[in-house]
Amino acid sequence: MATLKEIANSVGVSVGTVSRVLNHDSSISVSDETKIKIFDTAEELQYKTLKQRKNINNVNINKLRVGIVEMYNHSEQLQDPYYLLLRSVVDKECFDNEIEVVNIYKSENGYKFIGNEELNGVIAIGKFSKKEVKMLSEISDNIVYLDSSPDEQKFDSVNVNFKLGTNKALDYLLELGHREIGYIGSYKTLDDFKEKTMDNRLKNYTEYMKSKDLYKEENVLDTKEMTTIAGYEAIKDFINSSKKMPTAFFVGTDTIATGVLKALYENNIKVPEDVSIIGFNDLIASQYTIPPLTTVRVHIEHLASASVDLILEKINKSRSYCKKVIIPSELVIRQSTMELKNNN
C-alpha cells in the first residue's frame, strides 16, 4: 500500500492535497491535470505486475500496435476515477508486454488515431452505443471490450462478477448480525450499449434481500449519479427525513461511499458504531477514508491483464471464436463495519 507521503513526493504536492483529492474534496483548488497525476501515481505505486503469465506469443510483439478507446474523457473520469485507474493499469499491462499503445479519439466522422500504420487490435474501455460499436468495428477485427459485452458472438469481453461481490458484502453484514441493510446508489446506470437500465448491484441487492425476506423499499436511496456529491446529498436527505436509520448500508461505489461518510460525520452519526458501510470497487481512496472503507475489491489488475491476454491470443493465434472472461470480486474488510451488538 502506497503512503500519502510517497504519492505527494512523487507528484510534488503536499500530503494534504493528496488526501483531499483522493477523498474527492470538491472545495480543493487544483487543476484536473494534477488530480489525474495523483490518481495515476497512487495506482502506479501499488501496481504489481503479474509475473507468472503464459507466453503465448508466436511473433515479435515489439511490432504490435494496440489502440485504446475510452468511454469518458478525463474530466468525466474525475467524477468517478474507476475508469481512469482502469486505463492506467491497461497501459502498464501493454508496457509489460512491449505493446505500443495508440490513443483512439472520437470525431464527428467516427473514431480516429494518429499514424498511418494499421492497428493489430483495440481495447475498448467502458460502455459504447450500437453506433459506436459499429464504428470501432471498422478500425479492427480484433476488439476486446473491457467492462461491457456488446456482442458475445462478435467480440471478446472482460467483465466483473457483480453478483458475487454483492452477495459477499451482504453475507458479511448478515454474519455481523445486521438485518436492516439499506442500499445507496443510482437506480439506473449505463448498460453495454450506453442506455440507462437497472444497475446490476441494485438488482442483485434487491434479489438477495427479498430472498431473505429483509427487503424494505424505504431503505433504498437513489443517488441518480455515481458521484461523491450525489452520495452526500442522498444520505443527508435521508437523515433530514427522520426515517429510521438502517444499521448498515451497501453502497454502489466507493466514490458514492466517500460522500456518504462525509455526511454521516457532519451529522454526528458514527461509522461503524451507529451504521456500518460497505462500498464497491476498492479505489485507492478507500484506504484513506475515515474510517478506512470496507469494500468489494474489483481486481483492476486482473481485468487489464485479461484484456491484454485476449488481444495477444486473438492476434498471435488467429482465434476465430470469441471469449467472455468474468473476473471474481473480493471483500476487503477494513474499519467501516462492525458486529451489531444490539440485534433487534
Side-chain angles (χ1 to χ4, degrees), residues 16 95 168 188 196 199 219 239 241 245-246 296 323-324:
F95 178 81
K168 282 186 174 183
K188 293 186 177 181
K196 290 274 188 175
D199 180 70
N219 288 341
I239 294 169
S241 71
M245 179 72 67
V296 176
K323 286 185 177 182
K324 181 176 183 179

Side-chain angles (χ1 to χ4, degrees), residues 221-222 230-243 263:
L221 283 60
D222 186 6
Y232 176 86
E233 295 293 344
I235 191 65
K236 190 172 71 171
D237 289 345
F238 185 83
I239 294 169
N240 292 335
S241 71
S242 299
K243 294 179 181 178

Side-chain angles (χ1 to χ4, degrees), residues 169-294:
L170 296 174
D171 282 344
Y172 180 63
L173 289 174
L174 258 62
E175 289 173 12
L176 294 177
H178 296 279
R179 296 297 180 269
E180 296 285 335
I181 304 170
Y183 178 85
I184 305 175
S186 177
Y187 277 26
K188 293 186 177 181
T189 54
L190 298 178
D191 66 5
D192 291 342
F193 289 112
K194 255 184 181 176
E195 296 178 358
K196 290 274 188 175
T197 57
M198 187 176 186
D199 180 70
N200 283 326
R201 283 149 294 199
L202 174 59
K203 179 181 178 181
N204 296 328
Y205 160 87
T206 302
E207 291 174 350
Y208 182 100
M209 295 297 287
K210 285 184 176 180
S211 72
K212 305 290 184 181
D213 199 26
L214 296 173
Y215 179 79
K216 293 184 179 180
E217 188 174 352
E218 62 268 25
N219 288 341
V220 179
L221 283 60
D222 186 6
T223 60
K224 307 296 183 183
E225 297 178 342
M226 296 289 206
T227 62
T228 302
I229 188 63
Y232 176 86
E233 295 293 344
I235 191 65
K236 190 172 71 171
D237 289 345
F238 185 83
I239 294 169
N240 292 335
S241 71
S242 299
K243 294 179 181 178
K244 182 182 178 182
M245 179 72 67
T247 63
F249 276 108
F250 173 53
V251 186
T253 70
D254 289 4
T255 302
I256 296 172
T258 303
V260 170
L261 290 173
K262 177 178 171 62
L264 291 172
Y265 174 79
E266 291 178 354
N267 286 273
N268 296 315
I269 299 173
K270 296 180 181 179
V271 177
E273 292 84 356
D274 297 328
V275 58
S276 289
I277 302 292
I278 294 184
F280 200 105
N281 283 342
D282 193 27
L283 298 179
I284 295 166
S286 306
Q287 306 167 32
Y288 305 110
T289 56
I290 301 176
L293 185 66
T294 295

Side-chain angles (χ1 to χ4, degrees), residues 30-48:
V30 297
S31 67
D32 285 353
E33 183 180 354
T34 299
K35 292 179 182 178
I36 292 168
K37 192 172 183 180
I38 288 171
F39 281 114
D40 281 347
T41 301
E43 185 65 36
E44 184 175 353
L45 287 176
Q46 70 175 19
Y47 172 77
K48 295 180 180 178

Side-chain angles (χ1 to χ4, degrees), residues 51-85:
K51 294 182 179 180
Q52 297 181 341
R53 182 186 293 117
K54 288 184 178 180
N55 182 10
I56 60 173
N57 305 325
N58 296 320
V59 299
N60 184 353
I61 59 176
N62 290 322
K63 295 182 180 179
L64 294 185
R65 300 175 77 244
V66 170
I68 297 182
V69 59
E70 301 173 84
M71 173 177 65
Y72 291 135
N73 60 38
H74 280 161
S75 295
E76 291 171 323
Q77 287 173 341
L78 285 172
Q79 298 298 316
D80 182 356
Y82 171 76
Y83 285 112
L84 181 66
L85 300 178

